[in-house]
Amino acid sequence: NEIYYAIEKSSIEFLKGNYKVSKQILLDELQKEPTNTKLLLNLARIEKNLGNYGQAINIASRVEKLEKNNSCLYLMAQCYEALEMIDEAVDYYNKLTHSSNFYIESHLSLAELFYKLGDLQKAYYYAYPIVDTLDKEHALAIMFAVERNLGYSKLQDKYYDDLSDVNKEYVEKVGA
């Protein structure tokens, strides 16, 4: 199918660093099929990766109007966060906390966001449910950093030695 070929070709050009070419491939296809959500979502991703967060949000909003799409919601949350529009970012991340596809990512993103904002209780609240998931280390690293800032080490005493060196460095850096 031409659309999948265009998306693949665009992705290859993007990975090569040919961002304008990548974008133009999608724009050309969108001339033929302006409501194709796969093309639009890939164009929104390119805009996000180029730092054009407002444009990415506008394109993703079009996708959201055409179909329910959790990838689109996650992309919008990331863009709002990058634009420091925290309330909007939190709203979009929260829409995904019950999604099986984005459960872990949305919880981690919210935990990190609240940690950066200094709301340690909320950071802990969002990291805790995903401690036993595939991204256990990342969640634990956030929780350890929170614990260090709050002056206790309930989880650290039990799990710290299980962390990779990268996550131990994270804990030392942000939790000190």
Side-chain angles (χ1 to χ4, degrees):
N1 172 320
E2 281 185 46
I3 291 172
Y4 292 105
Y5 174 73
I7 291 170
E8 189 67 29
K9 187 175 175 185
S10 172
S11 297
I12 290 168
E13 292 300 326
F14 189 86
L15 291 172
K16 288 180 179 177
N18 300 327
Y19 306 125
K20 289 181 181 178
V21 173
S22 174
K23 185 175 172 178
Q24 191 59 51
I25 291 167
L26 296 176
L27 290 172
D28 291 345
E29 285 302 310
L30 281 165
Q31 292 294 321
K32 301 173 202 168
E33 293 193 48
T35 59
N36 185 292
T37 56
K38 289 176 180 48
L39 292 170
L40 287 167
L41 187 56
N42 277 286
L43 181 60
R45 286 181 180 132
I46 288 172
E47 295 292 0
K48 177 192 147 252
N49 288 334
L50 292 174
N52 302 327
Y53 303 114
Q55 186 65 18
I57 289 169
N58 289 336
I59 296 166
S61 294
R62 288 174 53 196
V63 173
E64 187 180 27
K65 288 176 186 169
L66 294 167
E67 72 178 29
K68 182 178 176 354
N69 187 312
N70 288 338
S71 294
C72 171
L73 297 177
Y74 190 68
L75 181 122
M76 290 173 74
Q78 292 175 312
C79 289
Y80 281 123
E81 183 178 353
L83 291 169
E84 297 182 2
M85 298 173 72
I86 302 307
D87 291 340
E88 291 84 352
V90 169
D91 286 344
Y92 276 93
Y93 284 133
N94 270 322
K95 289 178 184 182
L96 295 165
T97 56
H98 300 292
S99 163
S100 60
N101 292 341
F102 284 91
Y103 181 81
I104 296 169
E105 291 91 343
S106 61
H107 275 79
L108 277 176
S109 295
L110 284 163
E112 288 177 337
L113 178 61
F114 283 115
Y115 187 84
K116 287 180 205 170
L117 294 172
D119 191 335
L120 302 181
Q121 288 181 315
K122 282 188 181 175
Y124 201 86
Y125 170 82
Y126 283 106
Y128 186 78
I130 54 173
V131 167
D132 290 322
T133 65
L134 294 175
D135 214 347
K136 175 181 184 172
E137 275 202 42
H138 196 159
L140 284 171
I142 292 168
M143 293 173 74
F144 293 167
V146 168
E147 284 187 350
R148 285 216 175 155
N149 278 286
L150 295 176
Y152 62 92
S153 60
K154 184 173 93 177
L155 287 171
Q156 277 190 84
D157 294 343
K158 187 173 180 182
Y159 295 110
Y160 186 78
D161 290 336
D162 296 337
L163 290 182
S164 67
D165 290 340
V166 171
N167 279 318
K168 284 180 182 174
E169 285 178 31
Y170 174 81
V171 171
E172 299 303 323
K173 180 179 170 191
V174 300

